[in-house]
Amino acid sequence: MDFSARYVALGDSFTEGVGDPDPARPNGVRGWADRVAEQLGRDNDSFGYANLAIRGRKLRQIMAEQVAAAVALQPTLVTLYAGANDIFRPKVDIDSLMEDYDAGLAALRATGAAVVLFTGFDSRSSKVFGTMRGRTAIYNELVREIADRHGASLVDYWRFGEYHDWRMWDRDRMHMSTAGHINMANRVLDVLEHERLVPTETEPGLAGGSTAVARAGRIAALRENAQWVREHAVPWVVRRVKGTSSGDGLSPRYPELTRL
């Protein structure tokens, strides 16, 4: 697979890098896509990377705002994850959404770029988000079908059992922690058949992330759950009621090809 020159990452908070803080970077995050770009560009001085993902974006917004911009950058590699913010809405027509997804992917593949897609995560470990497990399973089957039809590669997030460890998740329980992003970067590099990240003392893998509620005492767990509801769950619900997004006012982190 030739993806050596221009990598463009598309999507929502998952690809933007939310949960992997880095105050020195645009929007204050790093994320798995940055880490993949750093690894791919290590020995290639002409390598360029753009990240057009913005947190909170729904599938049709990503198709409308990011696909044409990506095509204009003449990519040789594109990663795309879209749909999670639609699945968690009260009502969603997944079949209709995936028709737009299919059209967007066709436009990306027409550039000749290699494209990597993602299935959604199996949220069976979450009492809150596990209620959407059936929707995600339907979405995943359609993603697999579309990937096969267009010759795209697939990162099968649904089957990654390591993400049932709470240390792989940020305190908001919605986004991957730094450890989760590092692991996802390696999973993507595996699909690209590229050398994995080299661990460092400041990136200890599974040592990071949120506290594990399952290991806490019952009282401590109740307190942590109450804090999570106040700080994360309630604001998330309020945004959906008001029709606002955590990404309102944000711009793409790297709208033009750059070298990290």
Side-chain angles (χ1 to χ4, degrees):
M1 185 184 297
D2 181 11
F3 46 79
S4 58
R6 298 176 298 279
Y7 166 34
V8 182
L10 311 181
D12 52 28
S13 58
F14 173 82
T15 301
E16 185 189 348
V18 175
D20 184 16
D22 186 338
R25 301 196 182 211
N27 297 354
V29 295
R30 185 179 182 185
W32 65 264
D34 281 21
R35 296 171 188 275
V36 167
E38 291 160 9
Q39 186 74 347
L40 295 178
R42 281 177 59 190
D43 301 314
N44 186 350
D45 292 337
S46 64
F47 183 82
Y49 164 62
N51 189 323
L52 308 183
I54 296 178
R55 66 194 72 179
R57 290 297 193 262
K58 292 189 285 187
L59 188 148
R60 288 193 170 106
Q61 290 176 306
I62 292 168
M63 297 301 128
E65 299 170 3
Q66 299 178 23
V67 169
V71 170
L73 293 172
Q74 300 180 308
T76 54
L77 170 67
V78 176
T79 57
L80 169 63
Y81 183 42
N85 289 313
D86 299 88
I87 289 171
F88 290 111
R89 289 303 190 275
K91 294 182 180 180
V92 59
D93 184 342
I94 296 177
D95 293 292
S96 176
L97 280 176
M98 298 311 284
E99 291 177 3
D100 288 2
Y101 183 102
D102 183 87
L105 181 56
L108 294 170
R109 287 290 287 147
T111 67
V115 178
V116 177
L117 306 178
F118 297 78
T119 57
F121 174 64
D122 182 359
S123 57
R124 68 176 186 268
S125 299
S126 170
K127 293 181 180 179
V128 176
F129 300 111
T131 58
M132 300 297 174
R133 191 182 183 209
R135 286 184 178 183
T136 305
I138 294 170
Y139 164 86
N140 287 349
E141 284 306 304
L142 293 173
V143 169
R144 292 186 178 101
E145 180 181 327
I146 291 169
D148 288 344
R149 181 159 58 248
H150 292 283
S153 299
L154 189 67
V155 177
D156 206 347
Y157 195 10
W158 177 268
R159 298 178 180 176
F160 295 169
E162 64 267 28
Y163 285 94
H164 296 293
D165 185 324
W166 278 109
R167 292 173 293 177
M168 301 294 269
W169 296 92
D170 190 35
R171 292 186 63 85
D172 67 6
R173 307 182 191 177
M174 303 176 195
H175 300 99
M176 296 182 296
S177 65
T178 294
H181 279 279
I182 292 170
N183 185 78
M184 186 58 66
N186 281 326
R187 286 289 199 168
V188 174
L189 289 166
D190 286 346
V191 168
L192 296 175
E193 299 181 350
H194 195 279
E195 183 182 357
R196 282 183 154 223
L197 303 178
V198 177
T200 70
E201 293 181 1
T202 59
E203 296 174 346
L206 210 57
S210 65
T211 56
V213 175
R215 295 197 307 271
R218 187 170 184 274
I219 294 177
L222 289 172
R223 288 173 177 167
E224 184 168 329
N225 286 337
Q227 181 179 7
W228 173 76
V229 169
R230 290 193 308 271
E231 296 181 359
H232 302 291
V234 170
W236 183 78
V237 171
V238 169
R239 285 196 299 270
R240 273 138 192 82
V241 170
K242 292 183 175 180
T244 60
S245 168
S246 57
D248 289 348
L250 291 181
S251 299
R253 299 178 57 235
Y254 297 109
E256 303 294 338
L257 293 170
T258 188
R259 182 175 173 83
L260 299 182

